[in-house]
Amino acid sequence: MDHDEIHRTAPPARTGLMVLAGILVAAPILALVWVSSYAKDGPQLGGFPFFFWYQLLWVFLTSGCTYAAYRIVLAARPHRPMDGGTTPEREGALR
């Protein structure tokens, strides 16, 4: 079975999981683009206005969302064997 045939016969990605991964990536963007939802002083946390600590909180939430999306994409996409991309023609050139 050649390299192209393996890619043609691999099962498709699971669409529902890919959509979930997309939502996880988009959530932090949407949460921070909607500035009017957090452009205020209160409630304060440790003397910091809401505006600042809300944005700092999203730094950590974004890393968690990104990692979760990465793991979901790995689960959603079918495994394709990695052969290093060598073909019989290229194999002789690599020796």
Side-chain angles (χ1 to χ4, degrees):
M1 193 178 290
D2 69 349
H3 188 63
D4 291 332
E5 189 175 342
I6 290 171
H7 286 285
R8 282 192 301 270
T9 59
R14 293 168 49 192
T15 307
L17 288 178
M18 295 299 282
V19 168
L20 178 60
I23 291 170
L24 283 171
V25 170
I29 296 168
L30 296 175
L32 291 170
V33 167
W34 185 27
V35 178
S36 63
S37 71
Y38 63 92
K40 52 189 172 186
D41 285 335
Q44 292 191 357
L45 182 66
F48 289 97
F50 181 73
F51 181 79
F52 292 113
W53 68 259
Y54 178 81
Q55 290 180 61
L56 182 61
L57 175 66
W58 273 104
V59 170
F60 301 103
L61 292 175
T62 299
S63 66
C65 288
T66 303
Y67 179 73
Y70 167 73
R71 298 301 299 181
I72 289 170
V73 167
L74 287 179
R77 293 176 60 195
H79 174 71
R80 292 185 174 142
M82 301 294 286
D83 64 355
T86 59
T87 60
E89 300 83 35
R90 287 186 56 204
E91 194 172 310
L94 295 175
R95 289 184 189 169

